[in-house]
Amino acid sequence: MTIGVTLPSGDTAAAPNLVDELLAQARQAADAGLKSVWFSQLPLSQDAITVAALAGRENPGLEVGTSVVPIYPRHPLVVANAAQTAHAATGGRFTLGVGLGSKGFLGPVYGVEYPPPIKHLREYLTVLKQVFTGEAVEFDGETVRAHAPGLSTVGGDVPIIVAAMGPQALRVTGELADGTLPFLAGPRALAEQIVPHLPAGKRILAAVPAIVTNEPEAVRALAVEQMSFYAQIPSYQRILAAEGVDHPADLAIIGDEKTVLAGLRRYYDAGATDVLVSQTGIRSSEERRRTWEVISSIGS
């Protein structure tokens, strides 16, 4: 079992240069003994694949990845090109994490018709796999068309992880990807709703909010405020209901060292191969660093 973190973690608002700050934090994670760092993708923020490539290049031995790049509205050939570049730049230590995204959020942002999600995921992954395994790309689907001249000149079979939580998405993920990266799937939901739907041998990277702090109630109030967004998204509503909780912040593990370590171990017991700790800097950089030092003992 391995432990990693996701970035940004909540404490970058004052940074004069976000990329510099994220790279500095990736170095701190590596120095703390964490095994992997995963970068999120939002509109008008850092490009996750680019930053992951830079972080992996600067930190030999550190696995880097994206958590996650929405497959809408980027064409799979564009994402494949960037992913193979990152994979080559890091000596094969890059993993591409992708997700369907939220129609209600991303649709208005980009103003492009949102495709049927499961069909689009299947077709998108098919094209990515053609590129990554060195095949000629000739594909005409209902949501994706791709006809690339020649083969990839970068090369590299990039591992693909999908932020899949529903049964249909998990079925496609089990067939065409290397694993899943669910966020806010608690231990019960993970064990009952996700693990049984994936073939043996697939990675299951559970992204879990966790903060080591001496003031748990103050941090919990911030978590309630900042994580309310996820309660509005249907896919998260379903996975929260499967866990039996009402609010995303109910899954945040907040407290002293013993509380956080015990809470995270429940995810491994539920079937996670990896845990990615998120929201560690939701209140301060000091608590983020403290949390990283504590969790680095897992898997060591």
Side-chain angles (χ1 to χ4, degrees), residues 2-257:
T2 62
I3 189 82
V5 293
T6 65
L7 294 176
S9 63
D11 61 340
T12 58
N17 184 310
L18 178 58
V19 173
D20 284 346
E21 178 64 21
L22 291 174
L23 293 178
Q25 291 190 13
R27 165 54 64 185
Q28 292 169 14
D31 289 344
L34 295 165
K35 304 302 182 185
S36 63
V37 176
W38 301 72
F39 297 90
S40 64
Q41 179 74 56
L42 291 171
L44 300 181
S45 188
Q46 77 283 343
D47 181 76
I49 296 176
T50 303
V51 178
L54 292 169
R57 187 83 170 182
E58 290 186 1
N59 297 283
L62 184 69
E63 180 185 8
V64 293
T66 54
S67 174
V68 292
V69 173
I71 62 176
Y72 163 93
R74 293 198 211 183
H75 192 280
L77 292 182
V78 174
V79 171
N81 192 29
Q84 284 195 311
T85 301
H87 198 251
T90 59
R93 287 177 285 110
F94 172 78
T95 295
L96 176 64
V98 297
L100 289 166
S102 167
K103 179 180 180 179
F105 173 61
L106 293 177
V109 170
Y110 293 108
V112 180
E113 183 178 358
Y114 195 90
I118 302 303
K119 184 179 293 295
H120 189 54
L121 177 63
R122 178 176 292 280
E123 295 183 355
Y124 204 100
L125 292 178
T126 298
V127 172
L128 287 180
K129 293 299 289 183
Q130 286 182 347
V131 177
F132 294 161
T133 57
E135 300 177 37
V137 179
E138 296 289 339
F139 186 82
D140 284 299
E142 293 183 31
T143 71
V144 174
R145 294 178 181 175
H147 298 272
L151 303 178
S152 170
T153 60
V154 181
D157 191 359
V158 181
I160 306 171
I161 302 294
V162 181
M165 295 188 290
Q168 294 183 77
L170 285 165
R171 187 177 306 114
V172 175
T173 297
E175 293 176 20
L176 296 172
D178 299 287
T180 185
L181 199 167
F183 177 52
L184 298 180
R188 187 171 80 183
L190 193 70
E192 296 178 359
Q193 304 290 326
I194 293 176
V195 173
H197 289 276
L198 287 177
K202 300 291 183 180
R203 280 182 89 177
I204 300 173
L205 301 96
V208 184
I211 306 98
V212 175
T213 179
N214 294 331
E215 299 180 317
E217 293 308 315
V219 174
R220 190 167 301 281
L222 277 177
V224 170
E225 176 186 345
Q226 296 186 24
M227 296 177 68
S228 294
F229 165 78
Y230 297 102
Q232 305 169 34
I233 300 175
S235 59
Y236 287 111
Q237 292 170 348
R238 289 190 290 270
I239 204 68
L240 291 172
E243 185 65 23
V245 300
D246 297 322
H247 193 282
D250 294 338
L251 290 172
I253 307 169
I254 302 170
D256 61 15
E257 289 84 351

